[in-house]
Amino acid sequence: MVDIQRVGILTSGGDSPGMNAGIRAVVRTALYHKLEVFGIRRGYQGMIEGDIFQMQTTDVSNIIQRGGTILKTARSKDFLTEKGRRIAFEQLKKYSINALVLIGGDGTFRGAVQFFKEYTIPAIGLPGTIDKDLSGTDFTIGFDTAVNTAVEAIDKIRDTAEAHDRLFIVELMGRDAGYIALNSGIACGAEDILIPEVVTDIETVLQRIDDDERRKKNVHIIVVAEGDDFGGANELQQILQNRFPDLETRATILGHIQRGGSPSFADRVLASRLGHAAIQALLLGKTQMMAGVINGEVCFTPFEKVVKENAVISKDILEMIRVLAT
Ligand code: ATP
């Protein structure tokens, strides 16, 4: 076992449901192993500002079911600077923190790579992002909840779309990754799904709507990721209205509702497993790796690899969407 006495934990970047379950697992596992735990508020920014407090088991009571993060989160401009990172390290020394658990997305791990080039301190990451845009894990904490929220919303939209024979465009979160849109769209039987990973051929999209109109398929739902190359819901609505002036179209941007809410069972279990594994890994001397789950097994991937690899959407899935929407 490696000599670690004081573990710092932070959540960084966009919040995601299940982060609290991860914090709980880290704190309780660390205390079980007789380590001291320090919560760092507002991610890297709180690290720089020394917004750090000692955590006990009761600090994580009654949080497993809560969305957001009790540690709060932030995007820190100061951490992008050498000076910011130096001050952050000095704060860790001040509190004698000699290991870290970082819960966040790709930016958080990019920051970690930079920090650990300059300073040495054992660290394990947990994939906390609704976007599921990280390699090294099949799922990220918050993704399942975000998709369930989107599915519930789109189901409701479909009811009203059907009642009025309207075409609805639903924009979901995902600046660079279309996983939320892809999975929500499949689960809701969307007629079209537009995601950044696949170049949008707008003429094909318009043609399909035209075909539907001719066949009198009166409900048409297009799910679009906010980062799609063609644009978001508003851009799409504009072009649809120009092409089909008689068709009633409505655009809905789901927005931050996708980040909030009580985490699903899957996110709670994932966060609990990975939080527990993170402390065990630190005690075994692992460092600068993200804990993930691949094929049901916990595994560890170096931070550098987590941020470098890009996702590919399988051709089978794209073909399936096309077939099921006919
Ligand atoms: P999400 O995927 O939910 O947006 P994220 O972790 O990707 O989460 P970011 O805001 O991109 O969120 O990153 C979190 C923080 O990591 C940034 O605010 C910044 O402080 C730090 N960071 C990101 N990239 C770097 C970098 N190259 N060098 C130093 N710090 C960085």
Side-chain angles (χ1 to χ4, degrees), residues 12-15 44 74-77 79-80 85 104-111 114 128-131 133 175 259:
S12 161
D15 64 306
Y44 293 134
R75 303 192 195 270
S76 169
K77 285 206 176 104
F79 200 73
L80 298 172
R85 293 189 296 273
D106 61 331
T108 300
F109 299 128
R110 259 200 311 278
Q114 190 56 43
T129 169
I130 59 169
D131 291 333
D133 55 353
R175 269 171 302 167
R259 279 201 190 280

Side-chain angles (χ1 to χ4, degrees), residues 188-201:
C188 294
E191 277 69 21
D192 241 313
I193 303 169
L194 313 183
I195 52 175
E197 291 85 349
V198 180
V199 177
T200 295
D201 175 0

Side-chain angles (χ1 to χ4, degrees), residues 16-23 64 66-68 141-142 145 261 263 267-268 271-272:
S16 66
M19 279 182 161
N20 279 329
I23 295 167
I64 194 168
R66 281 167 56 191
I141 298 164
T145 307
D267 281 329
R268 296 183 202 193
S272 300

